């Protein structure tokens, strides 16, 4: 042992009145046992150590001088419902010191639907800007010099029409393809894992990615063709080891796809960029970013890259949206600050900080300003940018970095044995691991083991919402439809049809899809038309839903008898319900509209089943009519509708109405997810029986549901 | 729950989805008072049943059962058939709850007006599943569905239970990496009317063909249940919707052959008969265990048998004689 360790143990034991300091060990969500102190012995011979920033294996950062030379790029992701409103917002931000643009798209656009498609009536302009044609794209970037401005676009499903329209809009404004800079997310694998905004099955989707890489490496050398995203994996509930492992495994799969498509590794690998999520587990997040860089370098060696940039992990980071709370929401400013610090100390290349109101609604101008200033203050007031990798050499950080490398490598090896990430995803393994992690986290929060201030501790008695809430007016949809009609009337239809046929032909053969789509975009084909042309050949992907069981209650069985009693109490109530009414309480959990974030319903489904409910899960992307049909045919007592993207005001009342029309008014409807408290009354008036916002413990919502069911069926 | 059986009967005969769903809930209820009503309902509906093709489908988890039913069922509706799918999902032994996710894998069929899908929790006891599913099947037939598909996970004895209530039992398999036969139980081979190797698509086609050969060999070693029907092995791709019509043709020719030879009628009679005997046994058993005197004497008799102070045969005689006493009175 190094000098002084024994002495420390002695001191610590004394301070703890004779108890061993080992009792302070903490088991992290990743399963890593963290000790109360670290020293020289803990970092001896670690492979992750012994280099400088800018040097392989890049543990300490991809650039030699890091922020001492130039701070990270402040890149705020935003999209308002219309192209015009977003354009104004971008221009203001650029004037206020922002250096890059990041576009959020409407859910309908993500899934390749035009705004006039009846399936997406509740989704237009939700979560971002709706784009139907090149005309919308031109409005979006009006007055913004695309040869100078790097543009990042979060698009995965409808990536071909959107990228084509952006390129087309740039060309029509006189900017050449080779001048374009920026990033397209284009990470389809994680869509099948967590976010569900895919359109086609995995195989054609991977082909689309290869086509984009091939086109851009030839024509747009400064453009990042993919942003391999761990963010959504984390948001779905993955811990840091899982986020690191699955993201890098996705990356390896893309590299293989590109090489298989005949590309040389050094032509595209330097343009691969990553996107990680950073949450509240401060040192763990820092260590994860360092570990990811080390591992990526190691994983890339199998492809024999010649350029150093080919194995250098560069990343964008976003602070965790999931960590934000609806309760006492100004606390979110502090959470975001801590997460932003972790991202900076972990060495990110660009950063998005969330707005404090994002657990309630889409950001307003005010909340967006606070979010942006969070980063500016760190960069310009705190002096933390002066030294590259300031935590390098810290006993704890270095040890933790190597632990994450160890854990992630084990999972990556497991995936490799399954034949790579595409195969692993098909088997359902990564999804189940993430959901298990999410269910465990929910159980820890519900028991108060993981503290969330204002939610499960220090909760305010009376909460008043005193900030402005952004709402998307219905007129957005009507305006979009008008514009589509106008374009369809004024364009050269024969030319447009020919372009669409060329897309279908390329999809069935070997042509480059992006290349032909740019022509179609210029011929005023819509997002929906271009997507449909490919769908004819590729088909539309239908997800299979698996769900873990037992994870939620197992966190309780390890816990104090108090918490275990809550679970037992609820199980007794569901059993009594069975004895009194002849069957278990049966609930349908559904997610209507085009929002694909299904962490919430998965956690609810899995935990309710653990509590003794029979839980029906609906397919993704249902209309209220379809959800009502399913509720009736399965004859459930109650429907739980989850909404995370502002669709609740149309979708929930419509569901209640459809149940009534079909003669099943007695099926109760409750809602959960991101719903502003100011909308609660509206929903109650529409007939909604309960609303459970973010942070509601499962045991609490289940208890309230049981109250209602017992009142109705057991008396 | 409504008390009047005619409320349910009329609703089912009108093919009202809401009433059909509620009648199934009634049939599934564990309350004796509900079961009493259900018995009436089933009895009244009986004349309207028996015309459907009853199809059982099993397969190991991951064989693609739901995807198969999604594609197969959709194909049948385009031929004008009305398809009811009864899916049995396992209940957790610890909490009693269950996750019923079948419809997430049957997205198109779930919204198809020609189809009706009802997932049901197994609820623990196998007898329970058997009773509920059998009666639910009759309810669906009375509502006018002419193809009934019963889906079950291939665990425990559930396959043989399902096989004993359908006309045609289809075992779904996938081609794996090596020894295909490991994953299939001999008991399942004996009741299979056809084996379908699913996922014969992409780079899996050759493996599927190999698996087909292996199952054919395996089936040769099993005595077929009918001299007129040798269970075929087929390949299909539910994903690419290939080979599904062949499966339907096979089901139909089975029906034709079995009807002509009189075996179908005989099979259904046998099924009804063995179901009656199952219920008789179940009733006797319940009667036995709930008998006050038996409950009183049982612990002591058990103890004496365990200690070797009483012969098991004598103990059994004495216990059964207690029931007999009741009858004499």
């Amino acid at each position: 042992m190094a000098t002084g360790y024994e002495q420390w143990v002695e001191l610590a034991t004394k301070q703890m009145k004779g108890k061993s300091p080992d009792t302070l060990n903490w088991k992290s969500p990743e399963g890593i046992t963290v000790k109360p102190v670290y020293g020289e012995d803990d970092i001896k011979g670690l492979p992750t150590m012994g280099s400088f920033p800018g040097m392989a294996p890049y543990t300490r950062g991809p650039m030699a001088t890091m922020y001492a030379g130039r701070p990270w790029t402040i890149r705020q992701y935003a999209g308002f419902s219309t192209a015009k409103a977003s354009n104004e917002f971008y221009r203001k931000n650029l004037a206020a010191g922002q250096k890059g643009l990041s576009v959020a798209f409407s859910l309908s656009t993500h899934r390749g639907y035009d705004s006039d498609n009846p399936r997406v009536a509740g989704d237009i302009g939700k979560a971002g800007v709706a784009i139907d044609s090149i005309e919308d794209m031109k409005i979006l970037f009006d007055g913004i010099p695309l040869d100078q401005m790097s543009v990042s676009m979060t698009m995965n499903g409808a990536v071909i029409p959107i990228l084509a329209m952006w390129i087309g809009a740039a060309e029509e404004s006189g900017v050449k393809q080779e001048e374009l800079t920026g990033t397209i997310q284009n990470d389809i694998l994680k869509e099948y894992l967590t976010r569900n905004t895919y359109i086609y099955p995995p195989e054609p989707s991977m082909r689309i990615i290869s086509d984009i890489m091939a086109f851009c490496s030839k024509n747009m050398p400064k453009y990042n063709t993919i942003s391999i995203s761990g963010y959504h994996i984390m948001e779905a509930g993955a811990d840091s080891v899982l986020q690191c492992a699955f993201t890098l495994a996705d990356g390896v799969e893309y590299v293989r796809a590109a090489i298989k498509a005949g590309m040389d590794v050094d032509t595209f690998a330097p343009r691969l960029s990553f996107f990680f999520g950073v949450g509240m587990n401060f040192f763990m997040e820092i260590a994860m970013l360092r570990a990811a860089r080390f591992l990526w370098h190691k994983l890339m060696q199998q492809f024999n890259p010649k350029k150093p940039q080919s194995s250098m992990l560069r990343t964008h980071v976003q602070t965790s949206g999931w960590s934000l709370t609806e309760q006492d929401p100004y606390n979110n400013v502090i959470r975001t600050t801590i997460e932003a610090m972790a991202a900076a100390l972990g060495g990110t290349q660009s950063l998005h900080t969330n707005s404090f109101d994002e657990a309630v609604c889409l950001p307003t101008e005010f909340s967006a300003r606070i979010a942006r200033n969070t980063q500016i203050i760190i960069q310009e007031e705190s002096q933390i940018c002066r030294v590259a990798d300031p935590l390098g050499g810290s006993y704890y950080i270095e040890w933790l970095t190597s632990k994450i490398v160890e854990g992630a490598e084990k999972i990556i090896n497991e995936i490799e044995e399954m034949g790579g990430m595409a195969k692993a995803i098909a088997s359902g393994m990564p999804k189940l691991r993430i959901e298990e992690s999410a269910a465990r986290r929910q159980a820890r929060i519900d028991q108060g083991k993981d503290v969330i201030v204002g939610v499960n501790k220090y909760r305010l008695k009376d909460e008043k919402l005193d900030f402005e809430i952004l709402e998307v007016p219905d007129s957005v949809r009507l305006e979009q439809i008008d514009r589509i009609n106008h374009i369809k009337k004024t364009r050269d239809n024969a030319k447009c049809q020919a372009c669409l046929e060329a897309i279908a032909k390329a999809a069935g053969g070997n042509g480059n899809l992006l290349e032909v789509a740019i022509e179609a975009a210029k011929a005023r084909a819509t997002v929906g038309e271009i997507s449909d042309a490919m769908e004819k050949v590729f088909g539309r992907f239908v997800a299979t839903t698996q769900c873990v069981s037992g994870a939620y209650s197992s966190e309780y069985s390890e816990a104090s008898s108090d918490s275990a009693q809550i679970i037992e109490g609820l199980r007794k109530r569901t059993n009594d319900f069975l004895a009194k009414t002849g069957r278990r309480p049966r609930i349908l959990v559904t997610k209507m509209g085009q929002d694909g974030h299904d962490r919430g319903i998965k956690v609810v489904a899995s935990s309710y089943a653990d509590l003794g409910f029979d839980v029906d899960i609906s397919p993704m992307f249902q209309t209220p009519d379809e959800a009502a049909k399913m509720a009736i045919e399965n004859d459930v007592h109650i429907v739980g509708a989850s909404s995370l993207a502002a669709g609740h005001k149309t979708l929930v009342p419509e569901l209640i109405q459809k149940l009534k029309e079909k003669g099943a008014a007695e099926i109760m409807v409750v809602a959960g997810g991101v719903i502003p408290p100011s909308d609660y009354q509206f929903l109650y008036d529409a007939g909604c029986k309960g609303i459970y916002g973010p942070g509601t413990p499962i045991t609490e919502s289940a208890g309230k549901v049981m109250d209602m069911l017992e009142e109705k069926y057991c008396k | 729950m409504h008390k009047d059986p005619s409320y349910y009967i009329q609703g089912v005969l009108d093919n009202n989805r809401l009433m059909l769903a509620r009648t199934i809930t009634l049939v599934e209820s564990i309350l004796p008072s509900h079961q009493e009503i259900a018995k009436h309902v089933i009895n009244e509906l009986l004349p309207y049943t028996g015309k459907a093709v009853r199809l059982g489908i099993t397969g190991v988890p991951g064989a693609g059962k739901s995807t198969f039913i999604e594609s197969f069922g959709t194909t049948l509706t385009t031929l004008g058939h009305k398809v009811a799918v009864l899916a049995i999902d396992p209940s957790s032994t610890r909490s009693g709850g269950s996750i019923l996710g079948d419809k997430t894998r049957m997205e198109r069929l779930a919204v198809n007006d020609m189809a009706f899908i009802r997932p049901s929790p197994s609820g623990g006891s196998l007898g329970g599943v058997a009773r509920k599913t059998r009666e639910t099947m009759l309810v669906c037939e009375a509502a006018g569905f002419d193809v009934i598909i019963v889906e079950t996970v291939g665990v425990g004895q559930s396959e043989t239970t399902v096989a004993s209530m359908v006309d045609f039992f289809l075992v779904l398999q996938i081609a794996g990496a090596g020894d295909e036969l490991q994953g299939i139980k001999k008991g399942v081979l004996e009741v299979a009317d056809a084996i379908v190797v699913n996922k014969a698509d992409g780079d899996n086609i050759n493996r599927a063909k190999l698996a087909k050969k292996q199952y054919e060999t395996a089936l040769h070693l099993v005595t077929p249940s009918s001299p007129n029907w040798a269970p075929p092995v087929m390949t299909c791709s539910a994903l690419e919707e290939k080979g599904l019509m062949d499966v339907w043709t096979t089901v139909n020719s089975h029906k034709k052959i079995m009807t002509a030879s009189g075996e179908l009628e005989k099979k259904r009679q046998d099924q009804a008969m063995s179901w009656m005997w199952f219920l008789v046994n179940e009733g006797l058993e319940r009667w036995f265990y709930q008998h006050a005197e038996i409950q009183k004497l049982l612990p002591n008799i058990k103890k004496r048998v365990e200690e070797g102070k009483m012969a098991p045969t004598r103990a059994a005689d004495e216990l059964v004689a207690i029931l007999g006493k009741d009858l004499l009175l």
Side-chain angles (χ1 to χ4, degrees):
Chain A
M1 278 290 151
T3 352
Y5 181 70
E6 287 83 0
Q7 207 184 338
W8 178 84
V9 172
E10 210 172 285
L11 277 171
T13 310
K14 206 168 141 197
Q15 211 168 65
M16 293 185 58
K17 304 200 165 67
K19 268 210 308 205
S20 157
D22 287 353
T23 57
L24 296 175
N25 286 357
W26 166 63
K27 198 168 175 204
S28 81
E30 291 77 10
I32 299 172
T33 303
V34 175
K35 302 185 294 178
V37 79
Y38 285 84
E40 274 169 54
D41 284 347
D42 295 300
I43 58 167
K44 256 185 211 153
L46 291 183
T48 46
M49 290 189 60
S51 75
F52 273 88
M55 284 160 54
Y58 310 106
T59 317
R60 304 193 60 190
M63 317 293 166
T65 56
M66 290 302 286
Y67 311 145
R70 199 184 64 166
W72 68 88
T73 307
I74 300 174
R75 193 190 292 279
Q76 295 297 85
Y77 169 70
F80 288 85
S81 35
T82 65
K84 194 161 178 294
S86 302
N87 177 267
E88 282 165 20
F89 183 80
Y90 296 153
R91 290 210 217 181
K92 252 186 250 172
N93 286 354
L94 294 174
Q98 192 168 310
K99 291 285 183 288
L101 286 184
S102 179
V103 187
F105 290 97
S106 168
L107 290 168
S108 44
T109 309
H110 275 294
R111 300 264 298 149
Y113 293 114
D114 284 339
S115 298
D116 57 357
N117 190 312
R119 276 206 83 82
V120 296
D123 299 300
I124 309 301
K126 304 291 157 63
V129 56
I131 297 288
D132 293 318
S133 72
I134 192 169
E135 293 298 338
D136 291 340
M137 199 61 99
K138 285 171 83 172
I139 298 171
L140 187 64
F141 292 108
D142 183 38
I144 296 170
L146 289 176
D147 49 342
Q148 294 158 38
M149 186 57 55
S150 121
V151 175
S152 154
M153 292 191 283
T154 299
M155 180 49 70
N156 303 279
V159 62
I160 288 284
I162 288 300
L163 193 53
M165 284 174 191
W166 180 65
I167 296 169
E171 286 186 299
E172 290 188 5
S173 76
V175 177
K176 293 197 193 83
Q177 290 183 358
E178 65 261 31
E179 292 173 313
L180 291 169
T181 60
T183 307
I184 183 121
Q185 194 164 75
N186 201 19
D187 172 7
I188 201 70
L189 288 174
K190 64 100 176 35
E191 298 294 337
Y192 300 108
L193 262 185
T194 65
R195 194 162 162 266
N196 297 315
T197 44
Y198 41 70
I199 303 177
Y200 313 110
E203 217 169 291
S205 293
M206 289 299 286
R207 181 254 166 116
I208 286 176
I209 290 174
S210 305
D211 275 11
I212 292 174
M213 286 186 180
F215 181 89
C216 293
S217 68
K218 206 163 74 194
N219 305 300
M220 291 159 63
K222 289 191 284 183
Y223 193 70
N224 298 318
T225 48
I226 196 164
S227 168
I228 306 154
S229 307
Y231 180 79
H232 313 87
I233 296 174
M234 173 193 74
E235 289 287 282
D239 58 49
S240 294
V241 166
L242 290 178
Q243 180 183 185
C244 185
F246 292 149
T247 311
L248 298 186
D250 279 348
V252 170
E253 192 76 22
Y254 293 128
V255 172
R256 289 210 179 109
I259 289 174
K260 209 175 131 197
M263 294 166 72
D264 176 62
V265 66
D266 286 310
T267 60
F268 67 87
R271 304 299 332 153
L272 298 177
S273 70
F274 284 80
F275 172 27
F276 282 97
V278 158
M280 284 300 287
N281 196 349
F282 191 71
F283 291 112
M284 195 68 75
E285 317 289 352
I286 298 169
M288 176 193 68
L289 292 176
R290 304 174 94 247
R293 283 192 296 265
F294 173 86
L295 259 180
W296 183 245
H297 174 262
K298 188 168 171 186
L299 288 166
M300 281 304 286
Q301 298 317 305
Q302 60 186 302
F303 305 110
N304 301 313
K306 306 273 177 309
K307 289 188 191 164
Q309 292 88 331
S310 294
S311 57
M312 189 188 282
L313 182 149
R314 295 165 305 122
T315 190
H316 172 69
V317 164
Q318 180 170 341
T319 58
S320 166
W322 188 85
S323 73
L324 305 182
T325 65
E326 178 194 347
Q327 296 84 356
D328 216 358
Y330 289 111
N331 288 342
N332 295 331
V333 178
I334 301 146
R335 293 193 177 99
T336 299
T337 309
I338 293 171
E339 291 167 351
M341 287 293 289
L345 294 172
T348 188
Q349 279 56 64
S350 63
L351 177 63
H352 166 98
T353 32
N354 287 324
S355 302
F356 66 84
D357 51 0
E358 277 179 69
V360 180
C361 60
L362 298 170
T364 60
E365 215 178 300
F366 167 67
S367 65
R369 187 179 83 228
I370 301 294
R372 187 174 54 244
N373 283 345
T374 306
Q375 295 194 48
I376 297 181
I377 290 170
I378 297 175
Q379 284 189 352
E380 303 192 14
E381 295 187 25
S382 77
Q383 313 297 349
I384 73 154
C385 295
R386 301 286 176 201
V387 174
D389 189 31
L391 290 180
S394 146
Y395 301 132
Y396 176 37
I397 285 290
E398 295 291 0
W399 176 85
L400 202 53
T401 304
S402 73
K403 279 289 162 194
I404 293 179
V405 167
E406 216 173 85
E409 213 165 14
K410 213 170 121 199
I411 296 169
I412 293 170
N413 288 339
E414 206 179 312
I415 292 165
E416 289 291 286
E417 271 166 31
M418 296 174 85
M421 196 57 173
K423 294 254 162 61
I425 288 173
S427 82
M429 178 277 261
K431 204 164 176 154
L432 286 176
R433 291 268 175 96
I434 294 168
E435 281 160 16
E436 185 190 340
S437 171
R440 285 178 178 277
R441 172 113 167 101
Q442 185 65 46
R444 288 196 305 273
I445 292 165
D446 287 357
Q447 296 169 80
K449 281 202 227 166
D450 286 4
V451 172
I452 299 179
V453 171
V455 175
N456 64 2
K457 217 173 176 184
Y458 314 113
R459 190 165 183 162
L460 291 182
K461 273 224 174 63
D462 289 307
E463 258 195 88
K464 258 198 266 147
L465 195 76
D466 58 353
F467 55 82
E468 165 202 9
I469 297 220
L470 187 84
E471 247 187 87
V472 179
D474 213 31
S475 59
V476 169
R477 187 170 140 251
L478 304 174
E479 278 168 36
Q480 290 296 124
I481 294 176
D482 276 351
R483 202 144 54 233
I484 293 176
N485 290 339
H486 179 75
I487 286 169
K488 286 190 180 169
K489 249 184 259 156
T490 51
R491 71 185 177 192
D492 178 349
N493 268 317
K495 189 177 165 203
C496 181
Q497 282 311 316
C499 288
L500 290 171
E501 272 155 35
I503 291 177
K505 205 173 144 222
N510 291 321
N512 189 299
L513 284 166
L514 182 55
E515 198 176 321
V516 288
I518 293 172
E519 292 315 308
K522 287 183 189 164
R524 270 56 191 166
T526 65
V527 167
E529 289 170 329
I530 296 175
S531 296
D532 287 350
M534 288 186 284
E535 186 180 336
K536 265 186 226 142
V537 180
F538 294 155
R540 199 167 254 270
F541 182 69
V542 180
T544 62
T545 306
Q546 291 169 305
C547 211
V548 289
S549 64
Y552 183 80
S553 57
S554 77
E555 274 288 334
Y556 272 84
S557 63
E558 292 163 14
S560 63
S561 56
D562 271 8
S563 321
Q565 260 174 13
I566 297 175
I567 297 279
E568 275 319 308
L570 281 162
R571 280 191 182 162
K572 185 173 179 303
R573 286 173 77 182
T574 53
N575 279 331
D576 289 350
F577 189 89
L578 167 69
K580 276 196 192 123
T581 70
R583 63 170 174 153
R584 296 190 162 274
R586 187 160 179 173
I587 183 169
L588 167 68
V589 290
T590 182
K591 188 142 196 37
M592 294 173 291
Q594 296 301 312
D595 174 32
H597 294 92
D598 58 353
R599 171 184 186 165
I601 64 163
K602 290 297 187 57
V603 168
V604 167
S606 166
S607 347
Y608 272 48
D610 273 5
L611 297 172
F613 282 76
D614 285 326
V615 185
D616 292 274
I617 309 178
S618 83
M620 303 288 298
F621 313 119
Q622 283 209 308
T623 63
D625 190 52
E626 290 164 357
K629 180 174 192 267
M630 182 165 171
I632 286 169
E633 290 190 351
N634 293 16
D635 198 16
V636 300
H637 295 106
I638 191 161
V639 182
S642 159
S643 171
L644 292 170
H648 55 274
K649 277 178 92 173
T650 37
L651 297 171
V652 173
E654 210 178 313
L655 170 66
I656 295 170
Q657 187 53 36
K658 290 288 175 191
L659 284 169
K660 251 186 222 150
E661 280 169 22
K662 293 174 199 273
E666 84 285 356
I667 297 179
M668 293 187 272
V669 174
V670 295
V674 179
I675 298 173
S678 53
D679 288 350
Y680 280 19
Q681 199 53 49
F682 174 86
L683 291 180
Y684 287 135
D685 291 344
C688 185
K689 297 286 181 209
I691 301 164
Y692 313 114
T696 312
I698 296 287
T699 45
E700 187 186 317
S701 69
K704 285 184 178 160
V705 164
M706 281 314 293
D707 289 345
M708 288 190 283
L709 292 177
E710 285 159 358
E711 172 73 30
K712 188 158 177 178
Y713 295 100
C714 299
K715 290 220 162 138
Chain B
M1 202 63 76
H2 228 271
K3 298 246 175 339
D4 180 10
S6 60
Y7 167 78
Y8 297 102
I9 295 160
Q10 200 50 50
V12 169
L13 293 178
D14 291 346
N15 187 21
N16 175 322
R17 288 302 168 97
L18 183 70
M19 292 312 303
L20 174 61
R22 286 185 182 165
T23 307
I24 295 173
T25 302
L26 176 79
V27 162
E28 289 180 344
S29 173
I30 62 157
L31 286 195
S33 61
H34 292 166
Q35 287 176 12
E36 224 26 70
I37 309 169
K39 262 181 239 166
H40 278 284
V41 174
I42 298 292
N43 223 24
E44 292 295 315
L45 290 179
L46 214 52
Y48 304 95
T49 66
K51 289 185 274 295
V53 175
R54 300 170 181 173
L55 189 61
I57 294 183
T58 191
V60 289
K65 287 184 294 298
S66 306
T67 318
F68 176 80
I69 294 171
E70 159 95 340
S71 300
F72 187 61
T74 307
T75 309
L76 295 185
T77 60
T78 58
L79 297 174
H81 290 288
K82 292 181 69 189
V83 181
V85 179
L86 312 177
I88 305 162
D89 287 297
S91 294
S92 150
T93 45
R94 272 183 69 191
S95 72
S98 62
I99 290 175
L100 308 151
D102 309 82
K103 285 196 190 179
T104 63
R105 296 179 290 272
M106 302 181 195
E107 205 170 347
R108 279 178 300 152
L109 202 58
V111 297
N112 187 330
D113 282 331
M114 299 280 282
F116 175 84
I117 309 171
R118 175 71 172 232
S120 293
S122 67
S125 88
L126 205 61
V129 173
R131 182 177 57 79
K132 288 182 216 169
T133 314
R134 207 176 280 266
E135 293 180 352
T136 304
M137 197 160 73
L138 297 176
V139 173
C140 291
E141 288 184 6
F145 290 93
D146 62 350
V147 180
I148 315 284
I149 298 174
V150 182
E151 179 202 0
T152 173
V153 192
V155 288
Q157 295 299 310
S158 60
E159 306 107 328
T160 34
T161 308
V162 170
S164 74
M165 61 178 86
V166 295
D167 305 332
F168 191 96
F169 193 63
L170 190 155
V171 178
L172 207 61
Q173 294 285 337
I174 37 164
D179 192 356
E180 309 305 342
L181 300 172
Q182 289 277 322
I184 191 164
K185 288 177 270 187
K186 186 159 177 287
V188 173
L189 282 182
E190 282 168 351
V191 294
D193 293 304
I195 293 178
V196 176
V197 182
N198 190 17
K199 302 194 184 176
D201 39 46
D203 49 9
N204 216 21
I205 288 185
N206 285 327
R207 260 180 293 176
K209 283 185 185 154
L210 184 69
K212 177 176 181 274
K213 284 260 168 345
Q214 288 178 320
Y215 288 122
E216 279 167 350
T217 316
L219 277 173
H220 281 308
L221 304 172
V222 179
T223 322
S225 54
S226 157
N228 300 313
W229 184 258
V233 182
M234 290 171 279
T235 61
C236 84
S237 164
L239 192 73
E240 295 177 356
E241 304 193 359
K242 282 182 190 145
L244 299 170
M245 273 314 291
D246 294 347
V247 175
W248 183 235
T249 312
T250 304
V251 172
N252 274 325
S253 63
H254 176 263
K255 186 180 177 184
K256 219 162 156 191
I257 293 168
M258 293 292 125
T259 309
S261 68
E263 282 166 283
L264 183 66
E265 202 189 337
K266 176 84 174 36
K267 188 174 191 175
R268 286 192 172 181
Q269 284 167 357
D270 288 350
Q271 285 175 348
M273 211 32 72
S274 65
W275 180 232
M276 182 190 85
W277 285 119
F278 177 86
L279 292 177
V280 167
N281 284 327
E282 205 187 51
L284 282 175
E285 212 170 273
R286 201 181 320 126
W287 184 26
F288 178 88
Y289 283 109
Q290 286 173 356
H291 197 282
E293 201 182 336
I294 290 174
Q295 279 183 349
K296 206 174 80 193
L297 293 176
L298 195 56
N300 190 36
I301 293 182
K302 265 167 76 182
K303 193 162 164 253
R304 285 170 62 201
V305 172
E306 273 166 10
E307 288 169 354
K309 288 177 185 158
M310 188 182 202
T313 37
R314 198 181 139 206
D317 279 351
E318 273 187 24
L319 286 167
V320 174
I322 299 170
L323 277 191
K325 256 194 324 196
D326 262 15
L327 295 176
L328 291 176
L329 283 176

